[in-house]
Amino acid sequence: MKEAVRIENLHYTYPEGTQALKGISLRIYEGESVGIIGPNGAGKSTLLLHLNGILPAAGQGEGRVVALGEEIRRNDKRIRSDIGFVFEDPDEQLFMPRVFDDVAFGPLNMGLSGEEVKARVKDALRAVNLAGFEERSPHHLSAGEKRAAAIATVLSMRPQILVIDEPASDLDPRSRRNIIHLLNTFRMTKMIATHDLDMVLEVATRCILLDEGKVIKDGPGEEVLKNRELLEAHGLEMPLSLLLRSQNF
Amino acid sequence: MHLPEIDKYAHLDSPLHSWDPRVKIVSLFCLILSMVLASNLLVAGLGLMLAVALVFLSRIPFGFVFLHLRWVMLFVLLFFIIMPLTVSGEEIARFHFLSISRRGLELASLIGLRAFSAVLLVFPMIGTMKFSSTTAALQRLKLPNKLVQMIIFTYRYIFVALDEMGRMFMAARARGFRSGTNLHTLKTVGNLIGMLFVRSYERTEHIHRAMVSRGYDGTLRVLDEFALAKKDFLKAALVVALALGLYFAGWTL
Ligand SMILES: Nc1ncnc2c1ncn2[C@@H]1O[C@H](COP(=O)(O)OP(=O)(O)OP(=O)(O)O)[C@@H](O)[C@H]1O
Ligand SMILES: [Mg+2]
């Protein structure tokens, strides 16, 4: 298996002094779908942010992050179109007056031709079931549509690694289901940070439990999610579906 | 909550809607300029009529236009109160110690007419296309890129900020806050606005982060989707001729 991401002994302290990561090491292989779980403040978002090199410059860090064979430094200004980053709040991912311009934003920055940009926007919107939404303004989309559009804005760059922070927070059950379905249709390497353990069970092949800036457990999805004592010791609850199964309902 | 959506009627069909955004902006800008420079009441009146005609042509409902004109009216009203009383000249009426001058009244009318015509024209100009076309056109017209970005983000996040403010006031009310004319109200509102600033600042950092992660390097790029046709230039010639006509009429009339 080819390695997609390698993280070696990663430490990071925010300028305010919060030690968010305290020595994280892990390897992620191509095609893996990795769920990163942990309670609030565990360091999930901070870890993911290291993959696109955008963190407060004043923060202190050590360790190495290598993605797709290249080292990523904090505050790397190069375009990483091969790593697509979807932030937690879609209102921050969708900043243009219409959906088309948002989805075209990445490809245009990559210097692609007009034709290519249009083709990619079309493909990306179709991939998230938003064909025909080009002219809509992001403000008028529903929460579920915003999520999907936010994902489209990085799909249009055709990334090899998709990094998503909290893809389903504040979604109703149906929109959440749609997002889960979408994530399962993508074939690239995925890293998904979330509290939604039922979702992790459905989309992730592997699960990494973080707490207080450290990797507590790393293993096949179901194996980690079945470990009730471990999850509860770290402020999480076993996915309902597994709980029901374990009690033979 | 009422949101200032200038492009609410962008989907209509009219000669102004089908006009190329770049040519439309430049031509109507000339017309606005000629109205703002109107030197006498007659020309300013003609200008107002022309502006009303263009709004009519654009099919944007007058109700919508007037809704947005409220603030201009307030502003103009202010001039009507102040100028007749302060500008000296031939006296046409007198109440006790207040004297109303003809010159002041004329000046106030002139300012009012100019303001109304100019603001009215904004509707056929940018109300007849999607806001994204407006900003793309401004960019093609070589407006400084940073300025275009400021316009885009202001427009996009004004909605978000208004929603946020609405939520914050709702939360304050849910906890028993009632506004009144007292110090407590002032303090609370001040705090809420302060919070809004802090949140907006954080938000800009996050947006910037999202932009950089998609390859943003300080320059905003948009796809050039405009195509010019002969009709666009014909409309431009007509409007610019009207603008020049108004301007020179001011000298002779
Ligand atoms: N911009 C920042 N400045 C200062 N401290 C921060 C910043 N972002 C996060 N932190 C701190 O770093 C720690 C880890 O935060 P992080 O956001 O990575 O956690 P998380 O696992 O994503 O949590 P959540 O589930 O709430 O999203 C927390 O203690 C948090 O307070
Ligand atoms: Mg987080």
PDB file of all heavy atoms in Angstrom, chain A residues 39-46 48 88 165-166 193-195, ligand 2:
ATOM      1  N   PRO A  39     -13.272  13.990  22.077  1.00  0.00           N
ATOM      2  CA  PRO A  39     -14.165  14.999  22.658  1.00  0.00           C
ATOM      3  C   PRO A  39     -13.792  16.414  22.207  1.00  0.00           C
ATOM      4  O   PRO A  39     -12.762  16.598  21.556  1.00  0.00           O
ATOM      5  CB  PRO A  39     -13.933  14.834  24.158  1.00  0.00           C
ATOM      6  CG  PRO A  39     -12.564  14.269  24.277  1.00  0.00           C
ATOM      7  CD  PRO A  39     -12.374  13.397  23.076  1.00  0.00           C
ATOM      8  N   ASN A  40     -14.598  17.390  22.563  1.00  0.00           N
ATOM      9  CA  ASN A  40     -14.281  18.790  22.253  1.00  0.00           C
ATOM     10  C   ASN A  40     -12.905  19.139  22.786  1.00  0.00           C
ATOM     11  O   ASN A  40     -12.568  18.782  23.914  1.00  0.00           O
ATOM     12  CB  ASN A  40     -15.286  19.743  22.918  1.00  0.00           C
ATOM     13  CG  ASN A  40     -16.647  19.692  22.264  1.00  0.00           C
ATOM     14  OD1 ASN A  40     -17.649  19.510  22.918  1.00  0.00           O
ATOM     15  ND2 ASN A  40     -16.682  19.836  20.965  1.00  0.00           N
ATOM     16  N   GLY A  41     -12.131  19.832  21.964  1.00  0.00           N
ATOM     17  CA  GLY A  41     -10.821  20.261  22.425  1.00  0.00           C
ATOM     18  C   GLY A  41      -9.752  19.188  22.389  1.00  0.00           C
ATOM     19  O   GLY A  41      -8.634  19.397  22.853  1.00  0.00           O
ATOM     20  N   ALA A  42     -10.062  18.028  21.791  1.00  0.00           N
ATOM     21  CA  ALA A  42      -9.094  16.932  21.757  1.00  0.00           C
ATOM     22  C   ALA A  42      -7.911  17.253  20.850  1.00  0.00           C
ATOM     23  O   ALA A  42      -6.814  16.726  21.023  1.00  0.00           O
ATOM     24  CB  ALA A  42      -9.776  15.651  21.272  1.00  0.00           C
ATOM     25  N   GLY A  43      -8.133  18.128  19.869  1.00  0.00           N
ATOM     26  CA  GLY A  43      -7.067  18.474  18.938  1.00  0.00           C
ATOM     27  C   GLY A  43      -7.331  18.001  17.517  1.00  0.00           C
ATOM     28  O   GLY A  43      -6.447  18.084  16.659  1.00  0.00           O
ATOM     29  N   LYS A  44      -8.535  17.539  17.256  1.00  0.00           N
ATOM     30  CA  LYS A  44      -8.869  17.023  15.920  1.00  0.00           C
ATOM     31  C   LYS A  44      -8.671  18.077  14.838  1.00  0.00           C
ATOM     32  O   LYS A  44      -7.979  17.841  13.839  1.00  0.00           O
ATOM     33  CB  LYS A  44     -10.332  16.548  15.880  1.00  0.00           C
ATOM     34  CG  LYS A  44     -10.687  15.523  16.925  1.00  0.00           C
ATOM     35  CD  LYS A  44     -12.127  15.057  16.799  1.00  0.00           C
ATOM     36  CE  LYS A  44     -13.163  16.132  17.108  1.00  0.00           C
ATOM     37  NZ  LYS A  44     -13.196  16.553  18.522  1.00  0.00           N
ATOM     38  N   SER A  45      -9.290  19.239  15.051  1.00  0.00           N
ATOM     39  CA  SER A  45      -9.192  20.281  14.027  1.00  0.00           C
ATOM     40  C   SER A  45      -7.750  20.735  13.864  1.00  0.00           C
ATOM     41  O   SER A  45      -7.277  20.957  12.743  1.00  0.00           O
ATOM     42  CB  SER A  45     -10.061  21.476  14.400  1.00  0.00           C
ATOM     43  OG  SER A  45     -11.394  21.069  14.557  1.00  0.00           O
ATOM     44  N   THR A  46      -7.058  20.864  14.972  1.00  0.00           N
ATOM     45  CA  THR A  46      -5.667  21.310  14.905  1.00  0.00           C
ATOM     46  C   THR A  46      -4.831  20.325  14.096  1.00  0.00           C
ATOM     47  O   THR A  46      -4.005  20.725  13.269  1.00  0.00           O
ATOM     48  CB  THR A  46      -5.086  21.440  16.325  1.00  0.00           C
ATOM     49  OG1 THR A  46      -5.984  22.213  17.117  1.00  0.00           O
ATOM     50  CG2 THR A  46      -3.727  22.099  16.304  1.00  0.00           C
ATOM     51  N   LEU A  48      -5.887  18.279  11.724  1.00  0.00           N
ATOM     52  CA  LEU A  48      -6.243  18.381  10.310  1.00  0.00           C
ATOM     53  C   LEU A  48      -5.624  19.624   9.679  1.00  0.00           C
ATOM     54  O   LEU A  48      -5.161  19.581   8.538  1.00  0.00           O
ATOM     55  CB  LEU A  48      -7.764  18.413  10.129  1.00  0.00           C
ATOM     56  CG  LEU A  48      -8.534  17.146  10.484  1.00  0.00           C
ATOM     57  CD1 LEU A  48      -9.976  17.253  10.010  1.00  0.00           C
ATOM     58  CD2 LEU A  48      -7.892  15.916   9.856  1.00  0.00           C
ATOM     59  N   GLU A  88     -15.184  23.493   8.881  1.00  0.00           N
ATOM     60  CA  GLU A  88     -16.376  23.129   9.630  1.00  0.00           C
ATOM     61  C   GLU A  88     -17.602  23.968   9.256  1.00  0.00           C
ATOM     62  O   GLU A  88     -18.687  23.444   9.122  1.00  0.00           O
ATOM     63  CB  GLU A  88     -16.066  23.282  11.126  1.00  0.00           C
ATOM     64  CG  GLU A  88     -17.146  22.718  11.991  1.00  0.00           C
ATOM     65  CD  GLU A  88     -16.716  22.661  13.449  1.00  0.00           C
ATOM     66  OE1 GLU A  88     -15.509  22.801  13.717  1.00  0.00           O
ATOM     67  OE2 GLU A  88     -17.594  22.478  14.282  1.00  0.00           O
ATOM     68  N   ASP A 165     -13.686  18.540   8.250  1.00  0.00           N
ATOM     69  CA  ASP A 165     -13.892  18.759   9.674  1.00  0.00           C
ATOM     70  C   ASP A 165     -15.395  18.815   9.939  1.00  0.00           C
ATOM     71  O   ASP A 165     -16.088  19.645   9.361  1.00  0.00           O
ATOM     72  CB  ASP A 165     -13.230  20.082  10.076  1.00  0.00           C
ATOM     73  CG  ASP A 165     -12.927  20.129  11.563  1.00  0.00           C
ATOM     74  OD1 ASP A 165     -13.338  19.203  12.280  1.00  0.00           O
ATOM     75  OD2 ASP A 165     -12.268  21.098  11.988  1.00  0.00           O
ATOM     76  N   GLU A 166     -15.893  17.956  10.778  1.00  0.00           N
ATOM     77  CA  GLU A 166     -17.312  17.948  11.171  1.00  0.00           C
ATOM     78  C   GLU A 166     -18.263  18.058   9.983  1.00  0.00           C
ATOM     79  O   GLU A 166     -18.976  19.053   9.860  1.00  0.00           O
ATOM     80  CB  GLU A 166     -17.595  19.112  12.124  1.00  0.00           C
ATOM     81  CG  GLU A 166     -16.796  19.106  13.398  1.00  0.00           C
ATOM     82  CD  GLU A 166     -17.269  18.048  14.397  1.00  0.00           C
ATOM     83  OE1 GLU A 166     -18.206  17.298  14.078  1.00  0.00           O
ATOM     84  OE2 GLU A 166     -16.651  17.968  15.470  1.00  0.00           O
ATOM     85  N   ALA A 193     -12.931  14.360  10.615  1.00  0.00           N
ATOM     86  CA  ALA A 193     -12.986  14.588  12.067  1.00  0.00           C
ATOM     87  C   ALA A 193     -14.430  14.791  12.464  1.00  0.00           C
ATOM     88  O   ALA A 193     -15.142  15.568  11.836  1.00  0.00           O
ATOM     89  CB  ALA A 193     -12.175  15.826  12.433  1.00  0.00           C
ATOM     90  N   THR A 194     -14.870  14.103  13.489  1.00  0.00           N
ATOM     91  CA  THR A 194     -16.269  14.257  13.894  1.00  0.00           C
ATOM     92  C   THR A 194     -16.545  13.689  15.278  1.00  0.00           C
ATOM     93  O   THR A 194     -15.766  12.916  15.823  1.00  0.00           O
ATOM     94  CB  THR A 194     -17.200  13.563  12.878  1.00  0.00           C
ATOM     95  OG1 THR A 194     -18.545  13.782  13.262  1.00  0.00           O
ATOM     96  CG2 THR A 194     -16.945  12.078  12.805  1.00  0.00           C
ATOM     97  N   HIS A 195     -17.709  14.116  15.833  1.00  0.00           N
ATOM     98  CA  HIS A 195     -18.200  13.494  17.069  1.00  0.00           C
ATOM     99  C   HIS A 195     -19.247  12.452  16.738  1.00  0.00           C
ATOM    100  O   HIS A 195     -19.738  11.769  17.619  1.00  0.00           O
ATOM    101  CB  HIS A 195     -18.938  14.523  17.934  1.00  0.00           C
ATOM    102  CG  HIS A 195     -18.134  15.703  18.287  1.00  0.00           C
ATOM    103  ND1 HIS A 195     -17.208  15.675  19.285  1.00  0.00           N
ATOM    104  CD2 HIS A 195     -18.099  16.958  17.781  1.00  0.00           C
ATOM    105  CE1 HIS A 195     -16.657  16.864  19.373  1.00  0.00           C
ATOM    106  NE2 HIS A 195     -17.163  17.649  18.473  1.00  0.00           N
TER     107      HIS A 195
HETATM  108 MG    MG C   2     -12.838  20.929  15.782  1.00  0.00          MG
END
